[in-house]
Amino acid sequence: MEAKDLDVQVTAEAVAISGERRSQTKTEDKGITRSEFRYGSFRRVIPLPARVQNDSVQAEYKNGVLNLTLPKAEAEKNRVVKVELS
């Protein structure tokens, strides 16, 4: 796949990745032509454990690997939870 075939959308709570694979092969042997076409679309939604700043997301796609950098929202970084003792 190439980067142009992917669509990545990030909200504060989830990452949605969708795309379409296309493949075509054509072989000729002794006057016989054989063509194969493969098509398939996919969509994955990945919930995030903490809220992120979706306007500061960075993405890199290299050698078939998608790498997303998702900075946490400021409210999540400094969140303190009080635990009641019994």
Side-chain angles (χ1 to χ4, degrees):
M1 293 190 72
E2 296 181 26
K4 64 179 177 65
D5 297 328
L6 291 174
D7 180 34
V8 180
Q9 298 178 359
V10 180
T11 64
E13 295 89 19
V15 175
I17 302 170
S18 60
E20 185 173 355
R21 295 184 203 153
R22 295 180 185 156
S23 173
Q24 177 180 352
T25 58
K26 186 175 183 179
T27 57
E28 292 186 29
D29 186 29
K30 298 179 185 177
I32 299 172
T33 302
R34 180 176 146 186
S35 297
E36 291 184 23
F37 301 93
R38 294 183 195 171
Y39 296 96
S41 61
F42 65 92
R43 178 172 171 80
R44 302 288 186 272
V45 177
I46 304 160
L48 299 173
R51 293 181 64 85
V52 297
Q53 297 174 5
N54 59 344
D55 56 348
S56 301
V57 174
Q58 295 178 351
E60 179 186 6
Y61 186 74
K62 186 176 181 181
N63 297 329
V65 177
L66 177 63
N67 185 13
L68 295 175
T69 303
L70 306 165
K72 282 187 180 181
E74 290 297 323
E76 293 293 325
K77 288 182 183 176
N78 299 324
R79 191 168 105 184
V80 177
V81 178
K82 180 160 178 68
V83 178
E84 295 292 329
L85 298 175
S86 57

